[in-house]
Each structure stands twice: as C-alpha cells, then as structure tokens.
C-alpha cells in the first residue's frame, strides 16, 4: 500500500510561527493579565485552552528543530536550548498552586463547569513535553531544591485526604489527582532524590498524613526503625502506585530505585528490605499467576535495582532474586501477560550482567553466581525468542546481546552459532529447472535454487534476526562469523510467508534485517567488511565473485527499498542503504547518485517507488537493473497480495524493459517465466501478475524503435500461452473458487497487447498458429460475462484488436452471435450484456464504413439506451455510444432524442441517485463530439443544449462541472448556429478569435473559482431566452435540495443577481420564472424545488411597489394553487404555504391568499392546519387563531374557522 509523506513535511514552514505562538501562550496560560505575579496566578483554566497548548507543544516544538537543524534530525537533545524557557515556567507555576493554604483548598479543588484546575492543566502540558523529549531530560529543567521534596509529598497526601473527606460528605466535591499529576509529582520526586545529602536533613520529622490505600502493615520500612520519616512517606507513596495500570507505575519504580540506591538508605539496609518485601509480594501471587500490574511493577523494580545499583552492594541479593523469580515460571504465556514476561526478562538480563561483572571484580570474595545464572538465563532467552508477543521477543533479543557483550569471545561465539543454526531449522531449498524465454526447459543450464520458508516459524525468525542485529550493533560477534551472519541477513531481507487466509506475514523479520545491515555498516569498518569473501554469501542477487560484499548489500537494499510492500520496510532499507554508502565511500557503484535516487521520502509511496525510483535506480547500472527486475518477479512485485501492487509491478517491468541492453526483452521474459514456478505467492494472483507483466513487455516492444530479430521471436512465441490446454480452462473464467476476475483481467490485457503488436503496418508479432486466435476469442467471450468493470473494458479493447487478425467470416459470425446475446441478456437484465455493449462500441470503429454490421451495432446500442430496464445496462450503452462517436462517427437526428433522455434520467435505487452516473456519461458522450465539431450541425441540437444547461445548475458537483465544460466547448464552435445562439451577450466568445482574446477572464477554470462565483457565472446565462426554462430546471434543485455549501452559494448568487437587476429587467425576470413554474407543474421532481425557490425570492422582499402593480400576481397564485391541488405530498403543501406567506405581502394578491389560507384551516392533515394558522396569523394578526388547538378534528373547529374567515375577510 502507499505510505504518504509525514505530516512534518506539510507543517515545517509553519513551525517557526507555531513556536512563537507557544512562547506567547505560556504567560497567558499561567497568569491573568499582563503581570506575572502571585496575585495574577490562575486557579483554573478552560479545557479547550489546555488542548490548544498541548497541540502547540506536540507540533511546534519538534518541527521548529527539524526546519532549522535538518541535518541533525537524529540528535533530539538539540531540543534542549528551547526547553529551558518552555518547561521552567510550568514547574514554577505548579509549585505555586500545588500546595494551597488550608482555607483556600476547597476553592482550589472544587469542581467547576468546563474548567480544569491549573495543576491538572500544567501536568498535562508537562507530560506532553516528556513524551517529546523524554522524562529524564524534562526533569533537568524542573526545580531541584531539596525543600520541594516535603512540599510535593505533602501536596500528594493532602489531595488524597481531601478526596476521602469529600467522599464522606464532610467537604464539597473535589477533583482527585489525575494520572498526569501523579506521574509528574512522582517523576519530580525521583529527580529530587538525587540530592547529595542525607534525607534526615530534609524532612521535618512530623508524622505523615495517612495515604489513601497505603498498605502500612506490608511496608518494608516497618522493618527499619531508624528509617527517616520522609523516607517512609516516599516508600508508602511508591508502593501504593506500583500496582497502577498507567504511567505513574514507571515513575514510582524510578523513585523507589533511586531511594534504595542512595548511600544513606543503603547504610540502613533499605535496598535489602525492599528486595525481600518484593519477593514476598510476588510469591504471595503464585496462585493467580504473575499477570497483575502489581507484579509487573515489582519485577520492574527488581530489574532496575540490579541494573542501577553497584554490584558489590547488591551481590548478596542477585542469586536470591534470580532463584525466586525463576520459581514463578513467569515466562510461560498461560501464567503471565506479555508485560510480565518482558519484566521477567529484564530481571534475567540485569542478574546475568551483574553476575558476570561481579565475577570479573577482583575484590569480590563470594560465590561464583554466574555459573548458577547464565546457563538457565540463556536457555530461557533463546526460548523466548519465539514468543507470540513482539515486546517479549524484542526484550529477549536485547537481553541476549547485552549478555553476550559481557561474555568471553568463545562463549559469545557459541551463542551466535546457536542463533545461526536456529535460522536453518525447517528451512527448505527447492531446485527448479532453468527456463527459457518461451517457458521451455533449458537442459544445459542446470537448476535454480530458491529458499522455501513455508515451514519456518516467522516469530522465531524475527527474534533470531533481531538478536543478530543487536549483536552487530554492539560488536559482540567475532569476525569469523560475519559471512554466515550476512547470509542470514540477506535471506531475512526477502523473508515472506502467507497465512492460511493469504495475508502476508514476515514484515517484522525484514525490518529486523534492515536494522542488522544498518548496524553492520555503522559498527564495522570498510577494511573489516572488505575482508569478507563475496563467494561465501549465497542467495544474493549478484553472484559474481568479483563483487564486494558492500556492493551486494547495496543491491539487496535497493531492491527492498523500491519493491517491498511495507512502507516502513522501504524506508528502513533506504536508511540502511544511506548508512552503507555514507560510512563506506567508494565501495558501491554510483553510490552518491544511488542515495539521491533511493531517498527516504521518495520511497514512501509504493506507486512512486515502483514506477519512478526503480527506473531511476536501474539506469545507474546493469547490476541494479538486473536485481530490480528479478525483485519485481517475486512476491514483492507480480506475486504481491493486493491487485494494485501487481498492476504497478507489471507496469514497472515494462518501463525497465525499455533499457538495459540488447537482450533485455529476452532476459526479462526468461525471468518472468522462471518466477511463475517459484514457491512464493498465490498461484492465481501470480499468474495474473505474470500476464500483466508480459503484456507490459509486449507493449514496450511495440513502442520500441529498436526491435531485434531475437526479441521479436521471443515475444511471438508468447502466443502459445493461450494454446496450452493446461494453462487455461473455462473454469479459470467462471469458478469463483479460482478467482476468475484475476485470470480474466490478465488474459485480456495480454491478448490485447499481442493483437495490437500483430496488426497494422507495425505488425511484428503475428501468431504462428491461426487456431490460437480462435482460442483467444473464446477466452475473451468468457471474460465479457464477468461483472467487473475493468475486466469488461479490457476484454472489449482486446476483442477490437483481435478481430482485425481474424477472417471476415469469423468477424461476421462473432458479431451476429454477440448482437443476439446482447439483446437477450439486456431483456433478461443479465450483467453479461454490459461487457458486450463495451465490445460493440469499440468494434464499431474497426469495421468498414457502409457495412450492415456498423448499423446493427448502432441500433443495438440505441435499443439498449431506450428500452433497457437496468440502469447499469443503459450506462454501459451510453459509454459505448461515446466510444463510437469519438472514433469516427457524428451525432445524428436518430441519436439526439436518446441522448436527451439519458441527460434527463433521474433513476434512484438503493444506491441513491444512480441516474447521475448515466447523466454524467451522457455528458461525456456529448463532449466526445466536439473534436469532430459534429454537434453544431445536428438537427434539434437545442434540445440537447437545453438538457446540458439544466445539468449545469444542478446540485451534484461532478455533473454540474461536466455540464459546464460541455457548454464551454459548445461556445468554442466556430459556425453560424453557434454564433447565432449566443450573439445576444458579449461576455461569451462566439468565434475562435474572440475566444483567444478573452481567454483570461471570460472562462475561469472550475478549480479556481468558488461555488458562489460559479453560480454567479451560471446566472449570467439567463440573458439567453431559449435557455431560461432549462436553466431554472437545474438551478432550483441546488437552491432547494443541494448540500449546505451548494445551497448557500446558489442562494447568495441568486440574491446578488436579482438585486442588481433594473426594474424593467426585474419584471422580465419574474415573467420568465412564471413561465418556468407553469412548465414545471407537470414534472413532479421539480414542483417542490420550484415552489421553495419562489418562496425564497418572495422572502428576499426585493420586489418594489411599482412591480406589485405591474406584475400579475394573481396568475402566479393560480399556478401555486394548481401545484398542490388535491395532493397528499406534505413537502409540496409546506412549500406552497411558504409561497403564500410571501404572496400575502403583495397588496394585489393578499385577499385571495387569505381566502386560500382560510380554506386550508380545514385541511385533513393536522400539521398543515397548524402551519396555515401560523401563516394566516402573520398576515392578519387575528388573535383568535392563537388559542385554537388545530390538531383537533375539523368537525370541532369548523364553526370557528367560518367565524375566522368572516372576520379576516
């Protein structure tokens, strides 16, 4: 799939303004008014303002750096100069509000509507900063004064106490601490614990407030009577949040570890007490398994304690921790969660590394812990590399690499050898015979060896390859194993499996391989890598013994970067390629140019990487051309899972065949045949990709200026594909199980290209066996019965090209049979007639003029457009007529009524206004006549022009814009009828000379004007009297029923147009609308829009008193009454009432309107009676109308209505 560019590319230019806005918003966020004092400190702030600032923090800060320091994007610490002025104000403000006075605490925490306490808002922003730059860096910009330790702990405890009291009802409701507040406070406390003097000097010694939910009886501090009170409070605070499910658990672990590692706490033995307490808590959960958040927190604490503590101080606890955690059996998936297993692995890693370092410590006199730990840990980690959860595999691979880094070279070599051997498990190698360019076996060329990964475990492969990558990144491997490791990395770079449902599996393996090659290029020198013999690296695309290993890696990365289906893998391969070429200059052919072509952003979109980047890279040398071509023949290209990728890959094969040497077509065809028998990918999908790629090769040869005899012979032999009975059968085109749509599309494309290359004056690929053409015609006839539009269109084009190669008798027989089937299927509403209609439209132009067959085709198409009940059949017939006309025919009087009917088709079904598709195709049919300028000589062309004018004002954007383009093309016709029709208005050109002169302002493009300007331009057509009724037919649909934007634009444009009219023109405008309303009464679809438009015109109140006397409003009133006479359409009745409300303002029609409204007070519908009463009240101000329940039956209100009518009249 295509992966689009990052959002930062779009926002880079605005990053400086966003950062300036961020600096400007911070004081306003924290203080009221311009002065930044304690008196102006906010107590709360709106949630919307907080979200706005968070968005600025998340967007502006990193983008500003990337715009100014683009070459250093890999160094995020360059953000630090900005953070000093951004984070510190929030920290100071938080300290000012986090511990209020006792008499102000309720105001501080009392809930307010749509308001956030300032402390919550500040912590949300600080957490956003920590996500961008990391918590350790953000803490550096917070205050580190030790006095704040007691303040923060007290604030934490007091807020918890207030929440308890408010729950008891003794205090008003208050906000509890949010997880962002807890996280920031705990993170800040862990930073303050780095103070270089004893904690006993910091705390006040006062007894702490009881923390809600604290397990005092279980605290490890209860075992240490000499522990300072502030340390006890910190321990309570930490252990209460070790079981949290959110980020505060990590902050609590960090705080507890830093407390335990303080020298004064270690002298008191706090770290030993914490270890014993943690193990006791873990062992107490053996019945339920290590799956709770508390267990994860405890394991994380133990791992970080061993990792950060001095090995001499923790030596006595390492073996105890390891043996206790091992007894939990937490690495078994059924007994623990993925996070718990990951935490156990971190404990194993920390214990192993500490035991190895302890063994190397000469001052240590204790037992050798490593011999009890290492063997079991390594075995467990190797097993965990195949875990079902990705975090566990990643943690295991990293742990193995760190342990191997600490081991002796001999033991490290053994571990790497086990990993390499693990990659060989269940890996099969298939031997295939070498095929020639026509698909036959080459007896003297031997066999082709290809890996078969169907039986391997992809999860284990990812773990093993990721472990090798980590080992390379840390240079933990001996140089003698580099060849074997490179084999594994190159093999993993093309790893792919398909699940039972056909979905691709293996992208994580390829991602790990990209990381491994990146690490290899970064950590090893050019001399070291040049010493590796290329002949020792098998399964590479370049098997030339003279090619260096770095060149081989570059070729493999180029293929992955341009052809891999995953955008992350393409980008990862591009980054690894940049590292290989940048770290090892002058070792890769055309290295600088290659890096510029295979750019990190250029390969983001799959279509661009296949069609542009691959071609540019292949032009840099034959080594890249051949590798990319082979890569496109695999599961990455023509064997891809999605059809669009196969189409793109096939097109790329055709582009590559345009260059690459004299024998490029022969070589490409041979590789294509070889890929057909490879074990990767689906057979049906691969066969489709094979035929699409072969069609691209034939097309490239057809357009090539240099066709060698060997290339022509190779392509000519491809006709035998359709003569082999084992390759195609009728089931391949009919059986749903065999995906016939894929086979049909590929076969039609290939037949089309072969037939085009075999016909005409440029014929180069005429088939050797004439019976092949008959077989192809049969396959195409089966394809026409498919319901997929793309298959039908390709089959129609292929039949057009194939019939030119057949005898006249065969053509006549096919035409007669197709016409008969088309008529039968059309009457039976079978979708097979759609493909045959497309075929007839294309075949018509290839037949000799004057033949009976041409007239029969035209009659069949016209019959379908006029009599087919299925809307899809009418659409297909209209498309066929468009292709027929655009080829060599002109519109005639026989076609005009049919096209006009199609332009006025408003069929609706469960899909909605499906008739709009037919109207759109009819517009394209009319537009197809303009290249031949046949429209101007058509008898009765005013009818079609009127229908086009209607569509130019309708509510659907696509139809409206296409109709406008048709009108513009009609204005450009340089003949007498065209000039005569538009001669009344000078803004529209009536000749080519005036059109060229006024091109700048008279015809703005549709994508350059707003909808309101479009309708203003459309309303200028009202000067042409023959079009006025047609224009109103379309405009009223936009004014009454369009989308909100279309409705507002059309009404605004109409208002501006009417207000600009002179009194005489305004009267003429009203008369024209009266004519339109009279004509619309017989069209049910237009009655309601016409009435609503009239109501809008009357509601604008722009008709002057003079017009009130000169215009015959009574005639308009009669038309409105006729519109809703004896109707049950509620929408029509409501629209009529709106019109009556406007007509009642005219003195000449007011009495008759009141009389009509009085009659509607007895309408059968209660809603209509109520609305009539409302309108009548606005006109007469009769108070008796207000106190009547008009929902009652008319029998009860009949007498009252008679009285009201007498009083109003």
């Amino acid at each position: 799939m295509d992966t689009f560019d990052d959002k930062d590319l779009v926002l880079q230019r605005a990053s400086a303004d966003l950062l300036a806005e961020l600096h400007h918003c911070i004081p306003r966020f924290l203080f009221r008014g311009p002065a930044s004092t304690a008196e102006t400190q906010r107590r709360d702030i709106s949630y919307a303002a907080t979200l706005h600032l968070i968005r600025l923090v998340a967007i502006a800060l990193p983008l500003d750096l990337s715009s100014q320091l683009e070459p250093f994007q890999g160094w995020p610490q360059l953000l630090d100069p900005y953070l000093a002025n951004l984070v510190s104000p929030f920290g100071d403000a938080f300290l000012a509000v986090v511990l209020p006075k006792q008499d102000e605490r309720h105001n501080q925490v009392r809930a307010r509507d749509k308001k956030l306490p300032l402390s919550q808002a500040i912590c949300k922003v600080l957490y956003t900063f920590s996500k961008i730059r990391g918590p350790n860096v953000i803490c550096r910009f917070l205050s580190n004064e030790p006095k704040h330790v007691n303040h923060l702990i007290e604030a934490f405890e007091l807020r918890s106490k207030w929440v308890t009291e408010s729950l008891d009802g003794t205090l008003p409701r208050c906000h509890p601490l949010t997880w962002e507040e807890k996280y920031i406070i705990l993170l800040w406390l862990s930073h303050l614990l780095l103070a270089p003097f004893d904690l006993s000097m910091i705390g006040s010694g006062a007894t702490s407030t009881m923390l809600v939910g604290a397990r005092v009886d279980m605290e490890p501090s209860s075992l240490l009577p000499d522990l300072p009170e502030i340390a006890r409070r910190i321990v309570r605070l930490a252990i209460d949040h070790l079981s949290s499910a959110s980020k505060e658990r990590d902050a609590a672990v960090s705080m507890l570890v830093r407390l335990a590692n303080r020298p004064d706490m270690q002298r008191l033995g706090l770290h030993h007490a914490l270890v014993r307490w943690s193990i006791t808590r873990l062992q107490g959960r053996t019945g339920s398994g290590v799956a709770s958040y508390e267990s994860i927190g405890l394991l994380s604490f133990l791992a970080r304690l061993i990792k950060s503590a001095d090995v001499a101080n923790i030596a006595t606890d390492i073996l105890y921790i390891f043996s206790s955690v091992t007894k939990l059996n937490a690495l078994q998936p059924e007994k623990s969660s993925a996070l718990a297993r990951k935490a156990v692995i971190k404990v194993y890693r920390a214990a192993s590394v500490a035991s190895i370092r302890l063994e190397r410590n000469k001052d240590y006199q204790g037992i050798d812990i490593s011999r009890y730990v290492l063997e079991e840990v390594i075995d467990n980690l190797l097993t965990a590399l195949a875990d079902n959860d990705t975090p566990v595999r990643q943690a295991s691979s990293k742990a193995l690499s760190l342990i191997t880094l600490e081991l002796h070279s001999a033991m490290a070599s053994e571990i790497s050898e086990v990993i390499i051997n693990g990659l060989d498990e269940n890996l099969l190698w298939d031997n295939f015979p070498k095929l020639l360019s026509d698909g036959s076996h080459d007896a003297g060329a031997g066999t082709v060896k290809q890996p078969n990964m169907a039986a391997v475990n992809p999860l284990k492969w990812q773990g093993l390859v990721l472990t090798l990558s980590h080992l390379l990144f840390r240079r933990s491997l001996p140089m003698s194993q580099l060849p074997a490791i490179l084999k594994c990395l190159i093999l993993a770079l093309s790893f792919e499996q398909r699940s039972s449902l056909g979905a691709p599996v293996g992208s994580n393996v390829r991602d790990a391989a990209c990381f491994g090659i990146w690490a290899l290029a970064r950590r090893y020198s050019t001399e070291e890598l040049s010493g590796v013999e290329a002949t020792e690296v098998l399964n590479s695309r370049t098997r030339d013994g003279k090619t260096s290993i770095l060149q081989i890696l570059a070729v493999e990365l180029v293929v992955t970067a341009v052809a891999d289906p995953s955008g992350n893998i393409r980008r990862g391969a591009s980054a690894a390629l940049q590292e290989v070429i940048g770290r090892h200059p002058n070792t890769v052919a055309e290295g600088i140019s290659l890096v510029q072509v295979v750019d990190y952003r250029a390969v983001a979109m799959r279509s661009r990487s296949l069609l542009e980047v691959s071609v540019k890279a292949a032009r840099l040398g034959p080594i890249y051309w051949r590798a990319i071509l082979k890569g496109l023949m695999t599961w990455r290209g023509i064997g891809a899972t999605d059809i669009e990728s196969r189409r793109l890959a096939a097109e790329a094969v055709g582009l590559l065949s345009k260059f690459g040497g004299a024998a490029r077509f022969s070589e490409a065809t041979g590789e294509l045949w070889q890929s057909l028998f490879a074990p990767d990918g689906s057979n049906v999908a691969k066969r489709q990709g094979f035929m699409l790629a072969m069609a691209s090769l034939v097309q490239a040869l057809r357009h090539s200026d240099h066709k060698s005899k060997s290339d022509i012979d190779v392509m000519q032999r491809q006709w035998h594909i359709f003569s082999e009975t084992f390759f195609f059968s009728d089931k391949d085109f009919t059986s749903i199980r065999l995906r016939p749509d894929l086979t049909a599309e590929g076969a039609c494309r290939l037949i089309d290209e072969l037939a085009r290359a075999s016909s005409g004056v440029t014929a180069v690929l005429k088939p050797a066996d004439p019976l092949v053409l008959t077989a192809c015609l049969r396959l195409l006839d089966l394809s026409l019965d498919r319901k997929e539009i793309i298959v039908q269109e390709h089959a129609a084009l292929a039949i057009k090209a194939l019939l030119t190669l057949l005898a006249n008798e065969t053509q006549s027989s096919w035409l007669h049979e197709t016409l008969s089937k088309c008529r039968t299927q059309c009457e039976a509403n079978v979708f097979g007639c759609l493909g045959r209609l497309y075929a007839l439209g294309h075949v018509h132009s290839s037949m000799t003029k004057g033949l009976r067959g041409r007239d029969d085709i035209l009659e069949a198409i016209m019959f379908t457009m006029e009599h087919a009940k299925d809307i899809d059949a009418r659409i297909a017939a209209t498309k066929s007529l468009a292709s027929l006309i655009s080829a060599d025919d002109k519109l005639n009087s026989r076609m005009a009524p049919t096209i006009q009917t199609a332009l006025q088709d408003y069929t609706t079904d469960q899909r909605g206004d499906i008739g709009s598709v037919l109207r759109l195709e009819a517009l394209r049919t009319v537009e197809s006549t303009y290249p031949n300028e046949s429209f101007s000589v058509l008898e009765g062309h005013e009818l079609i022009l009127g229908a086009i004018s209607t569509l130019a004002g309708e509510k659907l954007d696509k139809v409206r814009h296409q109709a406008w383009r048709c009108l513009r093309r009609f204005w450009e016709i340089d003949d007498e009828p065209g000039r005569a029709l538009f001669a009344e208005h000078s803004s529209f050109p009536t000749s080519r000379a005036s059109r060229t002169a006024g091109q700048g302002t008279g015809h703005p493009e549709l994508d350059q004007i707003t909808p309101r300007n479009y309708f203003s331009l459309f309303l200028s057509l009202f000067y042409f009297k023959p079009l006025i009724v047609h224009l109103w037919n379309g405009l009223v649909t936009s004014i009454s029923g369009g989308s909100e934007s279309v409705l507002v634009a059309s009404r605004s444009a109409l208002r501006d147009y009417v207000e600009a009219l002179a009194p005489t023109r305004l009267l003429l405008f009203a008369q024209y609308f009266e004519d339109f309303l009279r004509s619309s009464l017989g069209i049910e679809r237009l009655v309601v829009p016409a009435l609503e438009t009239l109501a809008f015109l009357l509601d604008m109140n722009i008709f002057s008193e003079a017009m009130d006397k000169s215009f015959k409003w009574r005639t308009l009133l009669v038309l409105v009454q006729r519109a809703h006479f004896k109707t049950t359409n509620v929408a029509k009745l409501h629209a009529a009432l709106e019109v009556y409300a406007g007509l009642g303002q005219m003195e000449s029609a007011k009495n008759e309107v009141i009389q009509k409204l009085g009659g509607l007070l007895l309408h059968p519908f209660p809603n209509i009676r109520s609305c009539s009463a409302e309108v009548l009240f606005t006109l007469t101000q009769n108070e008796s109308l207000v106190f009547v329940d008009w929902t009652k039956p008319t029998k009860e209100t009949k007498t009252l209505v008679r009285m009201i009518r007498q009083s109003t009249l």
Side-chain angles (χ1 to χ4, degrees), residues 868-876 905 907 909 911 914-915 918:
K869 298 179 181 180
D870 186 16
I871 182 67
D872 294 321
R874 299 201 298 272
I875 293 173
D905 193 299
T907 304
D909 58 10
R911 294 171 287 183
I914 190 62
L918 179 56

Side-chain angles (χ1 to χ4, degrees), residues 687 724-735 738 743 778-779 782:
R687 184 168 62 179
E724 301 280 351
T725 56
F726 73 91
F727 201 84
F728 286 119
S729 64
D730 291 352
K731 289 185 178 180
D732 293 323
F733 293 82
T734 57
S735 176
L738 298 177
T743 303
R778 180 180 59 84
L779 297 179
L782 292 174

Side-chain angles (χ1 to χ4, degrees), residues 124-146:
K124 286 180 180 292
V125 176
L126 289 177
Y127 172 69
T128 306
F129 275 111
S130 68
K131 284 197 303 182
I132 294 173
R133 186 58 185 92
N136 293 332
V137 175
I138 297 302
C139 286
R140 288 164 38 195
F141 301 99
L142 300 175
S143 177
N144 56 4
E145 296 185 23

Side-chain angles (χ1 to χ4, degrees), residues 513-519 521 557 571-582:
C514 291
F515 171 53
I517 297 176
W518 176 87
L557 290 173
R571 286 186 159 188
S574 175
L577 178 66
Q578 183 178 358
E579 199 71 21
V580 169
I581 296 175

